[in-house]
Amino acid sequence: QVQLVESGGGLAQAGGSLRLSCAASEFTLRSYDMRWYRQAPGKERELVASISSAGGGTNYADSVKGRFTISRDNAKNTVYLQMNSLKPEETAVYFCNAGLQIWGRSYDYWGQGTQVTVSS
């Protein structure tokens, strides 16, 4: 069964750090563009960071630039999100997403999410 499984969430103090991981099973992440989203209670899901399949080009939401780093280890079939200088307003469920468009077909997979809670 194709799956994305996030881990690494938990409780952090304001100013602290967490590293999220997203591991794939039953498919290879190498060809996929990967994204991290987050959704806070009562808010829409927002894109936090993305990394391309080819070359690893990255993009970040303005609110996390300079503090978050997305990376991928294709050998481990895993994508990471290093989060530093965390803020209480970044408390949310963080989701991993894998996307691929090839030969006129789209492939889009989501993980179940991991809770990040930042205390003030």
Side-chain angles (χ1 to χ4, degrees):
Q1 181 180 357
V2 172
Q3 273 190 315
L4 288 173
V5 179
E6 300 100 334
S7 60
L11 179 63
Q13 290 189 334
S17 299
L18 286 172
R19 188 176 82 151
L20 306 183
S21 299
C22 172
S25 62
E26 302 301 327
F27 75 107
T28 303
L29 289 179
R30 183 184 307 273
S31 299
Y32 287 75
D33 296 327
M34 300 299 300
R35 303 172 185 89
W36 284 97
Y37 289 79
R38 65 187 177 192
Q39 187 166 21
K43 294 188 177 181
E44 293 185 355
R45 190 171 297 189
E46 65 169 337
L47 178 62
V48 175
S50 64
I51 185 167
S52 67
S53 60
T58 59
N59 284 287
Y60 298 92
D62 287 343
S63 60
V64 307
K65 282 181 181 177
R67 299 186 297 115
F68 288 15
T69 303
I70 187 171
S71 62
R72 64 194 304 158
D73 187 335
N74 289 333
K76 295 183 177 180
N77 216 27
T78 302
V79 174
Y80 304 96
L81 184 67
Q82 177 67 44
M83 306 186 295
N84 299 328
S85 302
L86 283 163
K87 304 175 182 179
E89 56 264 37
E90 294 178 316
T91 294
V93 178
Y94 284 70
F95 298 90
C96 177
N97 169 258
L100 171 66
Q101 291 188 330
I102 188 170
W103 302 110
R105 300 184 67 176
S106 295
Y107 300 85
D108 191 54
Y109 303 117
W110 289 87
Q112 82 290 348
T114 184
Q115 176 71 47
V116 170
T117 302
V118 184
S119 63
S120 56

